[in-house]
Amino acid sequence: MAGIQTSSGEYIDSSWELRVYVEEFGEEADPVTLRVTGDTHIGGVMLQLVEKIGMSKDWSDHALWWKQKRQWLLKTNWTLDKYGVLADALLHFMPQHKPVILSLPNQCSLRIRVCFSSTTFSACAEVCKALGIRHPEELSFLKAPDEQEKKKKKEKDPVTQEIFDFTSFQHSSATTGQVFLGGIPSHFTASPEGQQCYRALSISRTGLTPEDIQKRYKPTSITNKTPVHGRWLNSSKSLMQQGVQEGDRLWLQFKYYTFHDLDPKMDAVRINLLFEQARWAVLLEETECTEEEMMTFGALQYHVNKLSVVSDPMHMAQDPALKDLDEALSHLEVKLEASTQSEALEGIDIEPELQEYLRVLRPRKMTLKGYKQNWVMLKGTNVSCYKSKEESRGEPLIMLALKGCEVTPEVNVASQKFCIKLLVPSPEGMNEVYLRCENEQQYSRWMAGCRLAAKGRTMSDSSYEGEVQSILSFLNLQKSNQHTSASDADSINMLALVSPRYQKKLKLKQLSPRILEAYQNIAQISLVEAKMRFIYDWQSLPDFGVSYFLVRFKGARRDEILGIASNRLIRIDLNVGDVVKTWMYSNMKQWNVNWDIRQVSIEFTENINVAFTCVSAPCKVVHEYIGGYIFMSTRAKDGGSKGLNEELFHKLTGGHEAL
């Protein structure tokens, strides 16, 4: 738009010159000068700018950034006057999406494009959608600690991890949307790079050493747990407004400890990242636990490490219901094809079975009877016990239908104890029967058969042989780990499964048997079940999910600790560490922030008023935590269908913060 000029070259209308720096030209390049008026719309400015640049390029992702005001000019129908842009303004024309290095809880790093113009809440949701993480409102971005902070904490840099370039196939995922194939977002399956990236996201890190744990900063007191919250980005501001630049490193972590609707079929990445964050919280004692609980956590990590080495996340496990249907259809197809062939039909009618002498014990009250040798038959899903092989054609002494029963191993390889405990429900109560085998081979056959029968399957099932080999592998592992040593390159380092405190307290010879003993109880669960079990056990710890802040309560003379959990606020004495007072969110009437004096005030029922200023973090972070947890509690009312309601989230966590 050109103004009206006189013969001397002066403009007599209201137009003026606007300088715009184009990022593609570099920092040292001169700005592009445009002739505009106050009534020029932002869209018109960008159109005029592109025409003057004359470069053939897709400019759809570009927008104007007002550097002095630290503000994006995103509303293209607004005029320059409405935004308050004058001739002294320095505008920058740049892409809204730029790459950053994203550190994940599993020590994996991604180079990924993030939106620098939308709110941090929206940018995090966009990243989570690309990574296949549901319920992104539970996560947020932290700024990475600077070098000065690392030196203060005496934290060493971890071993450099491979950075996966997600930008190479991110564009296609943004345009096609999130389509799941077998629980995996489709853009991960489209290329070898995508598959490699998905494996990095969904598989836990193995080969952890005690040195890796010792390099990480371990908070030694409750006060040391408070500074990390000062690095959370403001959810209602954009990354650009908060000083984040292209190529900076950000952390993506779970901020709110209310994990809604965890689904193993849909949340492989989400569950893995949550497991890793929980694992580091336990190893660094951010969440305290007892010695027995640490052994259980160690056993679960041991199991996850073993299965992670051989598992392939691209090969999703088939749904048992679909597997049963496939087997039924396959069986029917064989019958139809062999209906005219009597030999084939006779072959189908043969049902595999187990029958041999075992020692059997049926515990009863007021009796001292021990094991008796019986002829035992496992046919279909039923177990029958006879006094001898010759009497097996008559009525059995014991007849058990195993479908739906509990099958529990009681094994000790060192003492050659191979027992199978069967708990079978009946109208009279629970029938309890013990089967004792002579050796490992016999035990593995019967244990595999009983487990399948408990699931309603027989030994003709294709998984029977695999189950037998799995049990034998476990027995061999237990045998070989009776003399586990840290120098054994093929074994998992047991010291890396517990926190540094227990690394010092227990020697390897003491630690290994205890972890393996706890491991026996969970040795047969799947990889995802082990991660879920770890998460659930982590959630059951007393101080789980409490975020600590150093605050000064109104009227107090010294600093205290404020703990924020999913359903309550906790006032903690800084010197003693005791809980002074607890306030439940359900009793909260309202809360607000005085941005001038940086004070948070909360009103509860029964005329209880609490006010405090934040010392270890901006009061906006505390404001977000309280509002965020209240927002999370609304998700259960509609089953999570409206979980990602950004407008409601900002109403509860935004406010009018003073710049």
Side-chain angles (χ1 to χ4, degrees):
M1 179 185 299
I4 302 174
Q5 286 182 303
T6 64
S7 58
S8 61
E10 296 180 357
Y11 286 91
I12 60 174
D13 61 355
S14 58
S15 63
W16 41 273
E17 288 184 345
L18 177 66
R19 291 173 297 166
V20 181
Y21 290 88
V22 181
E23 186 171 283
E24 277 71 11
F25 294 166
E27 297 180 358
E28 303 298 329
D30 295 329
V32 177
T33 303
L34 304 177
R35 198 74 192 177
V36 298
T37 66
D39 295 331
T40 305
H41 292 79
I42 298 300
V45 173
M46 291 194 293
L47 180 60
Q48 185 183 162
L49 180 62
V50 170
E51 290 177 349
K52 193 162 186 178
I53 293 174
M55 182 187 298
S56 179
K57 181 179 179 178
D58 182 7
W59 301 96
S60 59
D61 189 49
H62 281 58
L64 294 172
W65 165 253
W66 191 356
K67 187 173 182 180
Q68 295 104 317
K69 294 284 187 177
R70 303 186 65 79
Q71 179 183 4
W72 284 96
L73 309 182
L74 299 176
K75 297 181 179 180
T76 56
N77 60 332
W78 276 27
T79 63
L80 294 173
D81 280 346
K82 194 167 184 178
Y83 267 118
V85 177
L86 300 176
D88 61 345
L90 294 178
L91 302 185
H92 291 255
F93 191 54
M94 62 176 64
Q96 299 176 66
H97 287 80
K98 299 181 180 182
V100 297
I101 306 299
L102 201 62
S103 294
L104 304 177
N106 64 345
Q107 309 300 295
C108 172
S109 295
L110 294 178
R111 188 173 184 268
I112 186 171
R113 276 193 295 269
V114 180
C115 185
F116 275 66
S117 61
S118 62
T119 63
T120 299
F121 182 90
S122 297
C124 182
E126 185 179 340
V127 168
C128 289
K129 181 180 180 181
L131 300 182
I133 301 174
R134 299 189 309 135
H135 299 290
E137 64 275 11
E138 298 169 357
L139 300 93
S140 191
F141 295 136
L142 290 102
K143 288 184 177 180
D146 54 27
E147 293 300 323
Q148 187 175 1
E149 187 176 351
K150 286 183 179 180
K151 290 180 180 179
K152 186 177 180 181
K153 293 179 178 180
K154 297 181 180 179
E155 182 177 7
K156 301 177 183 178
D157 289 325
V159 178
T160 304
Q161 298 291 316
E162 180 182 358
I163 299 178
F164 294 91
D165 190 1
F166 194 81
T167 60
S168 58
F169 51 91
Q170 187 176 5
H171 180 70
S172 59
S173 68
T175 55
T176 59
Q178 190 178 22
V179 181
F180 285 83
L181 298 175
I184 306 177
S186 59
H187 52 272
F188 283 116
T189 61
S191 65
E193 294 80 8
Q195 295 177 17
Q196 184 184 13
C197 185
Y198 186 77
R199 289 188 180 94
L201 293 171
S202 56
I203 291 296
S204 301
R205 179 187 174 188
T206 58
L208 199 66
T209 65
E211 291 74 24
D212 294 330
I213 301 174
Q214 293 164 7
K215 287 178 182 178
R216 297 284 295 270
Y217 172 69
K218 176 182 174 296
T220 55
S221 66
I222 194 170
T223 308
N224 297 139
K225 299 178 182 180
T226 61
V228 64
H229 301 296
R231 295 193 281 112
W232 286 110
L233 293 181
N234 189 329
S235 295
S236 57
K237 288 185 176 182
S238 69
L239 300 184
M240 201 76 174
Q241 288 176 298
Q242 301 179 74
V244 179
Q245 301 295 324
E246 178 180 351
D248 284 357
R249 183 176 289 272
L250 296 176
W251 289 6
L252 177 67
Q253 289 197 347
F254 288 85
K255 181 178 181 180
Y256 302 100
Y257 296 91
T258 52
F259 315 121
H260 187 67
D261 186 28
L262 284 172
D263 186 348
K265 297 177 183 177
M266 301 292 290
D267 293 328
V269 174
R270 181 182 175 211
I271 289 173
N272 183 59
L273 297 184
L274 185 52
F275 161 75
E276 289 289 345
Q277 188 163 331
R279 173 160 76 161
W280 282 107
V282 171
L283 291 178
L284 300 179
E285 297 185 8
E286 294 173 0
T287 309
E288 297 182 1
C289 61
T290 64
E291 187 171 323
E292 287 301 318
E293 290 168 339
M294 183 62 76
M295 297 303 111
T296 302
F297 285 127
L300 287 167
Q301 291 179 77
Y302 181 82
H303 191 52
V304 169
N305 287 348
K306 278 185 55 191
L307 297 183
S308 296
V309 174
V310 297
S311 64
D312 184 2
M314 304 306 297
H315 178 67
M316 301 300 292
Q318 190 177 16
D319 189 2
L322 294 176
K323 187 175 182 180
D324 290 340
L325 179 60
D326 289 342
E327 290 175 355
L329 291 173
S330 177
H331 192 59
L332 177 61
E333 183 181 359
V334 172
K335 282 190 173 182
L336 290 174
E337 290 177 353
S339 59
T340 59
Q341 302 177 14
S342 57
E343 294 181 0
L345 186 60
E346 290 175 1
I348 293 175
D349 292 335
I350 297 175
E351 182 74 34
E353 60 183 38
L354 284 174
Q355 48 180 333
E356 54 189 323
Y357 280 105
L358 299 177
R359 284 184 289 172
V360 181
L361 172 64
R362 194 170 189 178
R364 296 183 182 276
K365 294 182 179 179
M366 306 298 294
T367 181
L368 297 176
K369 293 182 179 180
Y371 284 92
K372 287 188 175 182
Q373 183 166 291
N374 289 146
W375 182 259
V376 186
M377 294 179 59
L378 173 59
K379 187 173 183 178
T381 59
N382 299 322
V383 164
S384 305
C385 300
Y386 301 90
K387 192 172 183 180
S388 65
K389 181 179 180 180
E390 291 73 20
E391 298 181 10
S392 60
R393 296 184 179 275
E395 290 293 322
L397 299 174
I398 303 174
M399 179 74 173
L400 300 174
L402 298 186
K403 187 174 182 179
C405 79
E406 294 183 17
V407 182
T408 307
E410 292 197 0
V411 180
N412 191 320
V413 177
S415 59
Q416 290 294 294
K417 178 184 177 183
F418 304 101
C419 286
I420 303 171
K421 180 180 178 182
L422 303 175
L423 284 175
V424 184
S426 68
E428 295 79 19
M430 296 294 289
N431 287 328
E432 186 176 359
V433 176
Y434 289 80
L435 305 178
R436 184 154 187 172
C437 303
E438 294 295 331
N439 52 53
E440 300 172 12
Q441 296 291 337
Q442 189 182 55
Y443 168 80
S444 61
R445 294 195 303 270
W446 281 88
M447 189 65 184
C450 290
R451 279 180 175 159
L452 287 176
K455 299 175 183 177
R457 299 178 183 176
T458 67
M459 288 183 293
S460 61
D461 190 282
S462 59
S463 63
Y464 173 71
E465 290 299 330
E467 186 74 22
V468 172
Q469 294 303 318
S470 176
I471 295 170
L472 282 173
S473 299
F474 165 69
L475 295 177
N476 292 332
L477 180 69
Q478 188 183 31
K479 185 189 299 183
S480 62
N481 276 286
Q482 291 173 359
H483 305 287
T484 304
S485 64
S487 60
D488 187 358
D490 297 327
S491 65
I492 298 173
N493 195 329
M494 295 292 186
L495 291 174
L497 305 178
V498 296
S499 64
R501 178 156 58 104
Y502 293 106
Q503 293 175 13
K504 297 177 181 178
K505 181 179 180 181
L506 300 173
K507 295 182 179 179
L508 189 60
K509 292 182 180 180
Q510 299 171 307
L511 185 63
S512 296
R514 295 187 61 181
I515 291 181
L516 288 173
E517 182 181 358
Y519 171 66
Q520 292 181 23
N521 299 324
I522 49 96
Q524 301 304 323
I525 65 178
S526 67
L527 177 60
V528 176
E529 289 173 336
K531 293 179 182 178
M532 295 284 286
R533 172 80 177 273
F534 193 103
I535 294 168
Y536 291 147
D537 288 353
W538 178 48
Q539 288 178 295
S540 65
L541 296 177
D543 60 342
F544 161 78
V546 182
S547 302
Y548 298 100
F549 296 86
L550 192 65
V551 300
R552 175 73 63 89
F553 284 92
K554 187 177 181 180
R557 295 184 177 180
R558 58 185 182 182
D559 295 337
E560 296 179 68
I561 297 293
L562 176 70
I564 302 180
S566 60
N567 60 350
R568 67 195 187 279
L569 299 176
I570 311 166
R571 184 173 182 175
I572 303 172
D573 186 283
L574 182 59
N575 295 328
V576 184
D578 294 339
V579 175
V580 177
K581 184 68 177 178
T582 300
W583 302 282
M584 306 302 294
Y585 292 155
S586 56
N587 297 328
M588 185 185 296
K589 295 174 66 176
Q590 65 175 357
W591 85 97
N592 56 69
V593 180
N594 187 327
W595 300 110
D596 295 328
I597 61 175
R598 306 290 180 177
Q599 179 176 275
V600 180
S601 57
I602 308 173
E603 182 181 351
F604 295 92
T605 56
E606 300 180 359
N607 297 321
I608 298 175
N609 295 291
V610 178
F612 55 86
T613 55
C614 300
V615 178
S616 61
C619 60
K620 180 64 168 64
V621 178
V622 175
H623 183 42
E624 277 197 14
Y625 261 103
I626 297 172
Y629 275 125
I630 294 175
F631 169 77
M632 302 296 163
S633 66
T634 65
R635 298 181 299 176
K637 297 178 182 179
D638 55 10
S641 61
K642 297 180 181 178
L644 191 59
N645 187 334
E646 184 174 358
E647 183 179 355
L648 175 59
F649 182 86
H650 287 318
K651 282 183 179 179
L652 292 170
T653 64
H656 302 285
E657 182 180 0
L659 297 175

